[in-house]
Amino acid sequence: MKFDFLSESDQAYFIHKASTLVEALPYIRQHSGSIIVIKYGGHAMGDEKLSSSFAKDIGLLKEIGVSPIIVHGGGPQIGERLKSKNISSKFVEGLRVTDFETIKVVEEVLSKDINSEIVNSIRSTGGKAVGIAGNINNLISAKKLNIGLKDSDSNIEKIIDIGFVGNPTNLKSDLILNHINNGEIPVIAPLGIDADKLIYNINADTAAGFIAGKLKASKLLLLTDVSGILDENKKLISSLSFSEAKKIISKDFISGGMKPKIKTCIEAMEHGVNKSTILDGRIPHSVILELFTEHGIGTQIVSD
Ligand code: ADP
Ligand code: MG
C-alpha cells in the first residue's frame, strides 16, 4: 500500500480525516445556495485563535456555495472603551442604556474597530469580506425603542427611555444582495438610522434576526459565551420547538442578554427562517460543528 511509509496510527488519522470530509457531503448539499446569518461576538470574539478559526469557517462556507452574512456585536469591547473614558453603563432587559456620549463610543467601536478586525481576519484567510455599518446609506432604518417594564408590586407598566437604542424597521436588502452576488461576505455593524439622521445602537442579535427574516435566510446562528439556553438547573436545553421557545422567554431563568436572543429567534422564524441556533462561540469551529455534523451543538429552535 502507498501508505506503508506511515505508521498505522498515522494511516488511521488520515483515513479518518478523509471520511470526515465525505460525511459532510449531505450537509454541503443541504446548505449550498442558502443564506445563513451569523451573529458573532462580542463575548465570543475576544480570543485570537478563535477569531482565526471563525474566519476560516466563514471562508469555507463561502467556498462551498453558502452565502454567510456576519452581524457582529461588541458588548465587552464597548464596555471596556466606556470604562476607559469613565462613562458608566446600565442595562435594562439585556440592552445597554445609550445616551449621546455613549452612542458616539458605540459607533466608533462597532463600525471602526471591531468591524475592520473581523473583515481583516476573514480577508487574511482568503475570503472576500466587506465591512458595512448599518447606518451608512440607510442600510438599516431604525426607530427609538422604549421598554415597558411591569412593576412587580403594583403590576403597573412603566415606559423606560433607554436613549439611542433602536429597533430595526427597514432593510435595504438590495445593498446586501449586491455584495453577495459579487462573491463577497458582508460583515455588518448593528447600527441604524432614522428619518432625522439620528444613529441608534441595535442589539446585534436583534439586527441579525431582522436581517435573516428580511433576506429569508435558511438559518440564523447566534454565537455567544454560553453553551446555549440553560434551564433552571443550568442544564443545556438542546432543542426547543417554536411554541416552546415563545413560552420560555418569560421564565425567571431567562435573563439579561438571553432574552433578546430568544426573542430574535422567534421573530426571525415568524418571517420564514427555518431554524435558529444559539451556540457556544468559544468552541473552535463551532459554526462547522453546527452545520456539518449529525448532532450539531447549542440550542436549536425548530418549527413546530
Ligand atoms: P452576547 O455578547 O453573546 O450577546 P450576552 O451577555 O448578551 O452575550 O448574552 C448571553 C448571556 O445571557 C450569558 O452569558 C448568560 O449570562 C445570560 N443568560 C441569562 N439567562 C440565561 C439562560 N437561561 N441560559 C443561558 N444564558 C443565560
Ligand atoms: Mg448580547
Side-chain angles (χ1 to χ4, degrees), residues 220 222 228-230 237-255 258-270 273-278 299-304:
L220 171 66
L222 303 177
I229 306 175
L230 307 178
I237 301 170
S238 58
S239 188
L240 283 174
S241 70
F242 178 71
S243 45
E244 284 169 336
K246 272 183 151 172
K247 279 188 205 137
I248 214 176
I249 201 162
S250 54
K251 301 271 187 208
D252 285 345
F253 60 88
I254 305 292
S255 62
M258 194 46 73
K259 266 184 196 276
K261 267 184 225 307
I262 301 177
K263 200 163 160 248
T264 203
C265 292
I266 292 168
E267 283 170 6
M269 292 172 77
E270 278 169 348
V273 173
N274 301 329
K275 184 178 152 185
S276 301
T277 309
I278 298 172
T299 304
Q300 59 164 13
I301 302 175
V302 288
S303 307
D304 284 334

Side-chain angles (χ1 to χ4, degrees), residues 4-298:
D4 278 353
F5 59 91
L6 291 177
S7 68
E8 262 187 34
S9 65
D10 280 353
Q11 289 187 30
Y13 171 75
F14 284 111
I15 291 168
H16 177 70
K17 254 190 156 173
S19 61
T20 305
L21 279 173
V22 173
E23 277 161 25
L25 185 59
Y27 300 101
I28 294 174
R29 285 207 179 106
Q30 183 191 335
H31 300 306
S32 187
S34 67
I35 292 178
I36 296 184
V37 177
I38 302 165
K39 182 310 188 89
Y40 176 53
H43 286 112
M45 220 177 68
D47 180 286
E48 208 171 296
K49 263 197 182 150
L50 278 178
S51 308
S52 155
S53 90
F54 175 78
K56 286 179 190 155
D57 293 358
I58 299 305
L60 176 68
L61 290 184
K62 193 74 182 173
E63 289 302 325
I64 60 162
V66 175
S67 296
I69 298 173
I70 315 302
V71 180
H72 62 83
Q77 294 84 347
I78 292 167
E80 267 170 39
R81 186 70 56 84
L82 288 170
K83 208 170 151 196
S84 75
K85 290 178 180 270
N86 282 322
I87 305 172
S88 59
S89 266
K90 230 178 79 183
F91 286 84
V92 176
E93 296 277 283
L95 303 172
R96 187 188 300 276
V97 179
T98 307
D99 61 10
F100 189 69
E101 219 181 359
T102 305
I103 186 72
K104 292 278 155 214
V105 175
V106 169
E107 190 189 350
E108 186 183 291
V109 175
L110 285 181
S111 66
K112 298 211 174 75
D113 306 355
I114 297 182
N115 194 275
S116 1
E117 204 179 301
I118 300 170
V119 166
N120 290 336
S121 162
I122 297 175
R123 283 185 184 162
S124 74
T125 69
K128 276 169 67 183
V130 57
I132 318 170
N135 58 314
I136 303 294
N137 296 324
N138 296 313
L139 176 70
I140 304 176
S141 303
K143 76 167 200 284
K144 184 176 163 65
L145 176 76
N146 286 308
I147 293 192
L149 268 191
K150 276 217 171 106
D151 183 85
S152 51
D153 296 330
S154 63
N155 220 22
I156 293 173
E157 195 174 73
K158 276 195 306 190
I159 301 295
I160 300 187
D161 180 352
I162 55 170
F164 294 96
V165 177
N167 237 353
T169 54
N170 198 25
L171 179 76
K172 282 197 176 163
S173 305
D174 286 357
L175 294 183
I176 301 181
L177 293 173
N178 286 345
H179 286 299
I180 289 180
N181 293 335
N182 278 341
E184 292 166 333
I185 301 164
V187 178
I188 303 174
L191 295 161
I193 189 158
D194 73 5
D196 298 323
K197 303 276 169 244
L198 291 172
I199 296 173
Y200 292 92
N201 179 11
I202 301 174
N203 175 274
D205 297 308
T206 309
F210 183 74
I211 292 169
K214 286 283 178 194
L215 296 180
K216 302 275 174 270
S218 66
K219 281 192 179 206
L220 171 66
L221 304 184
L222 303 177
L223 270 60
T224 186
D225 65 341
V226 276
S227 52
I229 306 175
L230 307 178
D231 67 13
E232 61 267 61
N233 301 314
K234 302 257 174 258
K235 219 177 136 258
L236 175 71
I237 301 170
S238 58
S239 188
L240 283 174
S241 70
F242 178 71
S243 45
E244 284 169 336
K246 272 183 151 172
K247 279 188 205 137
I248 214 176
I249 201 162
S250 54
K251 301 271 187 208
D252 285 345
F253 60 88
I254 305 292
S255 62
M258 194 46 73
K259 266 184 196 276
K261 267 184 225 307
I262 301 177
K263 200 163 160 248
T264 203
C265 292
I266 292 168
E267 283 170 6
M269 292 172 77
E270 278 169 348
H271 285 91
V273 173
N274 301 329
K275 184 178 152 185
S276 301
T277 309
I278 298 172
L279 65 159
D280 195 341
R282 299 168 306 177
I283 300 175
H285 305 298
S286 52
V287 170
I288 301 299
L289 283 169
E290 163 56 17
L291 295 175
F292 299 99
T293 63
E294 198 176 326
H295 296 292
I297 55 173

